[in-house]
Amino acid sequence: MNSPVLRSALPARVHHLQPAALTVLAVALVAGLPELFGDRGRLGAVLVLQLGLVLTWVVVTGIQGFAGALAVGAAAAVAADLVLVLPARPELGDLLVVLGLGFLASVVQQMVRRPREDLVASLAGTVLMISAVAALAALLLLGRTHEGHDRALVALLAVGVALLVGHLVDLVLPRPYLATGVPRGLIGLVLSVAAGALVAFLGRHVGGTAGAVPALVLGAALAGVTAMVALVASYVAVEATAADEDGRTPEVDPWALSVVQAVLPFAACAPVALALQMVL
């Protein structure tokens, strides 16, 4: 049995231009606040992204138990940040405690609600949300030292530029399609990876990665992850606005969709950037 082809009611310009604008805002927020307020600014910027993702993710994916899911997601975001901010020598592995307790909280939250419709889908969506906000907390470790701050800036720019190039190219030429019904193409993916690699190469001295090859590897890896997760986020946006069997289109705020499209790639790239910082 073949699954139906998704047909989104979201215009292509909204699908691409709004997330592109929010991407610029996200980069400005995470790169600018630390310059103005130091570690407190970085914590505030990361928390804004986390809470924004929690709210919009629950709205877009239709997780049942709205208030409970919001509470679990917000608590996971705050806990993940505190775990990486309070200790003198925090480690990324400390987030396992947050993920474990967050999973248990998700199970309890979904089991106590009535009625228990869409239990499996809602639980899966909540766990993915917790994983994403915990991953965003890795930005706190990436920019903790002076060298880390410079590398975080280069990494953020590489991710941001890759997202922008992908959206702008796919707005004009989303060919050949990477997923049926989703306005994302192979040309945009390739160019976004190339753009991310170029940004890392140009900023290799600022980021402390003096070698050209390590810089290119850093940029290409981050841009590759960005492009793939951006495709997934676009699929989520299309599915959330696709007409049902009766031809009715769900009413979802386009800006909520755009926040998910803009922030989710940063969540995926944060731990990758931290890992690459340690080996390059």
Side-chain angles (χ1 to χ4, degrees):
M1 182 177 179
N2 295 327
S3 58
V5 176
L6 294 178
R7 297 186 183 279
S8 175
L10 198 66
R13 288 191 176 185
V14 176
H15 188 98
H16 292 297
L17 292 183
Q18 286 187 183
L22 290 178
T23 296
V24 175
L25 180 60
V27 172
L29 188 69
V30 181
L33 287 186
E35 292 288 345
L36 297 175
F37 304 105
D39 289 339
R40 290 184 179 180
R42 181 175 295 105
L43 175 61
V46 171
L47 189 59
V48 168
L49 293 185
Q50 290 171 318
L51 296 181
L53 182 59
V54 167
L55 176 60
T56 55
W57 182 261
V58 174
V59 171
V60 168
T61 59
I63 294 176
Q64 300 299 311
F66 182 82
L70 284 181
V72 170
V78 173
D81 293 345
L82 292 179
V83 163
L84 298 184
V85 168
L86 294 181
R89 294 183 179 180
E91 296 182 359
L92 192 62
D94 297 338
L95 290 176
L96 291 176
V97 176
V98 177
L99 294 174
L101 294 177
F103 174 74
L104 292 178
S106 301
V107 172
V108 172
Q109 181 260 325
Q110 289 297 325
M111 291 301 295
V112 298
R113 66 178 174 86
R114 297 289 188 280
R116 297 194 188 103
E117 297 178 353
D118 300 325
L119 177 63
V120 175
S122 296
L123 179 59
T126 306
V127 172
L128 181 56
M129 174 184 65
I130 292 173
S131 300
V133 297
L136 277 170
L139 291 174
L140 298 172
L141 291 184
L142 185 65
R144 196 175 180 91
T145 64
H146 176 71
E147 179 180 317
H149 172 73
D150 293 338
R151 287 197 175 189
L153 179 60
V154 173
L156 287 170
L157 289 176
V159 173
V161 169
L163 272 174
L164 282 176
V165 171
H167 278 297
L168 295 179
V169 172
D170 287 334
L171 175 63
V172 179
L173 187 64
R175 299 287 193 280
Y177 284 118
L178 294 172
T180 305
V182 180
R184 305 307 296 255
L186 181 60
I187 296 176
L189 187 148
V190 172
L191 291 180
S192 66
V193 172
L198 179 61
V199 169
F201 176 78
L202 295 177
R204 63 190 183 279
H205 300 301
V206 176
T209 307
V213 174
L216 288 173
V217 171
L218 172 68
L222 289 176
V225 173
T226 299
M228 296 305 298
V229 178
L231 173 62
V232 173
S234 287
Y235 192 95
V236 171
V238 169
E239 188 176 51
T241 56
D244 58 18
E245 295 179 355
D246 298 327
R248 294 174 299 184
T249 302
E251 295 183 3
V252 182
D253 187 352
W255 283 108
L257 297 169
S258 299
V259 170
V260 171
Q261 289 179 268
V263 179
L264 195 61
F266 283 96
C269 288
V272 176
L274 185 62
L276 290 175
Q277 175 183 279
M278 298 174 63
V279 298
L280 293 178

